[in-house]
Amino acid sequence: MSQFIGRWAGSAEVFDGYGRFLGNGADYRQVQTMADGRIRIDVSFVGPFKHSGHYFIQPQDDHRLYEGPANIGYAETLSDSLVDANAYWPALGLSQRFFLILVGDNLQLSLAHMTRGEHLLYAVVGQNDRVPDGDAPAQPTVVSGTHYDLQDDPAAGRPVIWLHRPGQWRGELTALDENRRPLGQFAYSQTIAAASLLELQTAGGAFDAAARRAAFITNGWQAWATADSDVVGSYSLSGGRALSGHFYYRESRLRCWRREVATLDGTRKAVVEYWYHGGQRVGVQFGVLEFGE
């Protein structure tokens, strides 16, 4: 938890439930340890929706309790650098599925799905930088443009959809079993080829390490697999930088809930995967991959 202490600032990108760009949000957080051992988070977010307030976190061995008043819920502590939360923001009337991962010491990537009931209202793709003590927050990097123009562009003003570029994402994923006990680190890759269909080949990881091919039809906002794929399923995109979807691995009969967030420059991405047999979780794997052509 100590890695998250300090001031963090960034400019999130906010998308609607279909993936259309709504605008940027100025995101500021101050994280500090209280005398009673709890963590206080002061947050200010101004964008397509706005909110400021604070909440307290009670750290436990493998989870955190969000105790309000601004944020109420429960987060799994999957590692020293990753938390995955289900929470509720009373002032907004929105439920949240959220993960936050620390990349290095001074960069955070996050993905928040904000829902009312089962209806997705906002997807918030975040990249925050640590603000050194005594410094003012640096000017964040943004894609220039207006909501009016960019809402109809699935890449949200970028030259390409970062997550669909031909090339290979490669790195190591840390894996935990169903009881969140460490299984180790595993080489992992995703190879993408673009032709009449978008082709994705995955290999490595802890739960289905064989090379698996999937062919996807995509409209830039969503992608869905063809019936002859080794891996079937679908996912939604937010500005070409983030995705969330469910996949069924036919050979191993495992289901995977995958979420990804790419950095603003598209050179790295965070991957978080929950693996299930039916409705029973069999493990989770996560890490940061680097892109190469």
Side-chain angles (χ1 to χ4, degrees):
M1 184 69 199
S2 61
Q3 293 90 331
F4 294 94
I5 301 299
R7 294 188 299 155
W8 299 86
S11 179
E13 294 179 336
V14 184
F15 304 88
D16 69 12
Y18 191 75
R20 297 185 182 96
F21 180 73
L22 296 177
N24 285 87
D27 188 8
Y28 178 82
R29 303 173 205 161
Q30 182 170 353
V31 185
Q32 54 187 319
T33 304
M34 309 303 291
D36 61 2
R38 295 187 300 169
I39 307 297
R40 174 172 171 143
I41 312 290
D42 290 89
V43 60
S44 174
F45 188 92
V46 180
F49 64 90
K50 60 187 187 296
H51 179 62
S52 65
H54 73 276
Y55 59 95
F56 295 95
I57 293 175
Q58 181 65 59
Q60 304 292 334
D61 289 340
D62 61 357
H63 65 276
R64 303 173 174 187
L65 299 177
Y66 293 175
E67 298 182 333
N71 186 13
I72 302 167
Y74 182 99
E76 292 186 84
T77 306
L78 297 176
S79 77
D80 291 339
S81 62
L82 174 63
V83 293
D84 195 327
N86 287 272
Y88 180 68
W89 294 77
L92 301 173
L94 296 176
S95 300
Q96 180 192 56
R97 292 179 303 167
F98 172 76
F99 81 79
L100 172 68
I101 190 168
L102 189 62
V103 181
D105 294 326
N106 299 311
L107 179 69
Q108 294 176 344
L109 293 175
S110 61
L111 177 60
H113 288 108
M114 313 292 291
T115 64
R116 185 162 289 160
E118 293 295 323
H119 182 64
L120 177 63
L121 296 183
Y122 303 106
V124 184
V125 184
Q127 178 171 318
N128 283 31
D129 296 300
R130 186 187 297 275
V131 180
D133 292 340
D135 288 1
Q139 182 174 341
T141 300
V142 298
V143 176
S144 296
T146 69
H147 159 254
Y148 177 82
D149 297 313
L150 299 181
Q151 67 178 344
D152 295 321
D153 178 6
R158 297 181 179 84
V160 296
I161 292 175
W162 285 151
L163 298 181
H164 283 180
R165 285 172 298 168
Q168 186 174 75
W169 297 91
R170 181 181 296 172
E172 286 190 338
L173 299 184
T174 299
L176 311 176
D177 69 9
E178 68 274 17
N179 297 311
R180 290 183 283 192
R181 292 187 296 252
L183 294 174
Q185 292 185 311
F186 299 82
Y188 181 79
S189 67
Q190 297 176 346
T191 305
I192 298 170
S196 57
L197 297 175
L198 180 76
E199 295 210 9
L200 171 66
Q201 180 172 292
T202 59
F207 303 104
D208 190 321
R212 304 295 187 193
R213 171 194 167 274
F216 290 94
I217 302 167
T218 180
N219 59 12
W221 311 101
Q222 302 100 20
W224 53 99
T226 60
D228 61 345
S229 298
D230 299 332
V231 181
V232 295
S234 63
Y235 59 88
S236 58
L237 289 151
S238 298
R241 269 190 68 204
L243 68 78
S244 178
H246 292 265
F247 307 90
Y248 178 66
Y249 285 66
R250 300 169 73 168
E251 183 69 23
S252 59
R253 301 178 183 176
L254 293 175
R255 176 171 61 89
C256 175
W257 174 32
R258 179 185 303 143
R259 287 169 290 170
E260 301 181 356
V261 174
T263 54
L264 286 164
D265 62 6
T267 60
R268 293 175 290 177
K269 70 175 178 180
V271 176
V272 179
E273 296 182 347
Y274 282 88
W275 288 77
Y276 300 89
H277 188 258
Q280 181 178 2
R281 186 196 293 185
V282 298
V284 57
Q285 59 186 18
F286 53 87
V288 177
L289 308 180
E290 294 192 0
F291 182 77
E293 295 183 357

